């Protein structure tokens, strides 16, 4: 009987020890499961972050392409507008030249007693450059006659400007 009690006590102690170990093992097992779940969740988050990062990189590439395309379009438009501007400048210059040519033709057809007051008026109004332009384009004989009919102060101003212009 002693043996039986001893055996029962031994099994009881062994079983209780086994039971404690089993509980500890179950507890450790649960902790491991929790850690595995957390690790899987972290891996899932890492994958989501990676995918978002890749999507952002693709968006940056897409926006860079769009930006470059817009820059190209702007450059083309700028070149087009510059060409149009240059064409307009040339046309404007041609128009100005035509105006000057026609004005000089009309001025040469005028009688000296009518053209001299016009040059006087330009000089009095401070438009000496315009008076010079007209005067320079005239025939020498016509220019000399106009100078004779101009007011002395104005013909003096015109001659000084002409001499200064020739020195430059």
């Amino acid at each position: 009987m002693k043996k039986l009690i001893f055996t029962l006590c031994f099994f009881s102690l062994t079983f209780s020890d086994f039971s404690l170990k089993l509980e500890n093992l179950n507890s450790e097992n649960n902790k491991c499961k929790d850690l595995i779940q957390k690790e899987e969740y972290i891996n899932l988050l890492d994958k989501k972050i990676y995918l978002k990062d890749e999507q952002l990189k693709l968006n940056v590439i897409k926006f860079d392409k769009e930006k470059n395309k817009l820059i190209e379009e702007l450059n083309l438009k700028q070149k087009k507008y510059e060409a149009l501007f240059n064409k307009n400048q040339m046309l404007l210059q041609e128009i100005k030249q035509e105006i000057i040519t026609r004005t000089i033709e009309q001025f040469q057809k005028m009688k000296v007693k009518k053209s001299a007051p016009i040059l006087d008026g330009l000089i009095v109004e401070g438009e000496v450059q315009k008076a010079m332009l007209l005067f320079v384009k005239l025939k020498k004989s016509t220019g000399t006659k106009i100078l004779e009919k101009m007011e002395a102060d104005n013909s003096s101003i015109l001659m000084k400007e002409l001499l200064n212009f020739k020195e430059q």
Side-chain angles (χ1 to χ4, degrees), residues 115-132 150-158 161:
S115 57
I118 292 173
L119 284 179
D120 280 333
L122 286 172
I123 292 170
V124 168
E125 291 173 5
E127 300 286 346
V128 180
Q129 296 296 323
K130 288 181 182 177
M132 279 178 45
M150 287 176 67
E151 292 182 24
D153 290 345
N154 291 336
S155 63
S156 173
I157 290 171
L158 184 60
E161 286 296 318

Side-chain angles (χ1 to χ4, degrees), residues 8-26:
L8 283 176
C9 280
F10 176 74
F11 281 126
S12 161
L13 283 175
T14 306
F15 183 73
S16 71
D17 188 39
F18 180 72
S19 177
L20 278 175
K21 285 183 181 180
L22 186 59
E23 272 183 42
N24 285 340
L25 189 58
N26 281 336

Side-chain angles (χ1 to χ4, degrees), residues 27-28 45 48 54 57 76 78 106 117-119 136-137 140 143 149 153 165 167-168:
S27 172
E28 290 296 319
L45 289 177
K48 284 183 178 181
E54 290 300 310
K57 286 177 185 176
L76 288 174
Q78 182 180 6
Q106 292 299 318
I118 292 173
L119 284 179
V136 169
K137 299 286 182 172
K140 287 185 182 181
K149 294 288 181 180
D153 290 345
F165 183 74
E167 289 177 4
Q168 294 175 359

Side-chain angles (χ1 to χ4, degrees), residues 58-154:
L58 290 174
N59 285 342
V60 167
I61 291 170
K62 177 183 169 187
F63 291 137
D64 277 348
K65 286 181 181 178
E66 287 178 20
K67 178 188 76 170
N68 290 338
K69 183 180 175 185
L70 289 173
I71 288 172
E72 250 182 69
E73 288 176 11
L74 285 174
N75 287 337
L76 288 174
K77 285 182 181 181
Q78 182 180 6
K79 286 178 183 176
K80 179 181 171 184
Y81 291 136
E82 284 174 355
L84 186 61
F85 176 78
N86 290 337
K87 182 180 176 183
N88 286 341
Q89 287 297 99
M90 288 174 50
L91 286 172
L92 183 62
Q93 192 62 33
E94 288 174 13
I95 291 169
K96 285 180 179 180
Q97 189 59 43
E98 184 64 26
I99 290 170
I100 291 169
T101 302
R102 286 187 184 186
T103 304
I104 291 168
E105 287 173 0
Q106 292 299 318
F107 204 72
Q108 285 182 356
K109 290 179 184 178
M110 289 179 158
K111 294 187 180 188
V112 174
K113 62 181 171 178
K114 287 190 177 183
S115 57
I118 292 173
L119 284 179
D120 280 333
L122 286 172
I123 292 170
V124 168
E125 291 173 5
E127 300 286 346
V128 180
Q129 296 296 323
K130 288 181 182 177
M132 279 178 45
L133 179 66
L134 282 171
F135 186 79
V136 169
K137 299 286 182 172
L138 294 173
K139 295 177 186 172
K140 287 185 182 181
S141 60
T142 308
T144 304
K145 289 177 187 174
I146 290 174
L147 278 176
E148 289 173 359
K149 294 288 181 180
M150 287 176 67
E151 292 182 24
D153 290 345
N154 291 336

Side-chain angles (χ1 to χ4, degrees), residues 44-55:
L44 180 67
L45 289 177
D46 282 345
K47 285 180 185 178
K48 284 183 178 181
I49 290 171
Y50 174 78
L51 291 174
K52 288 285 183 182
D53 187 47
E54 290 300 310
Q55 185 64 41

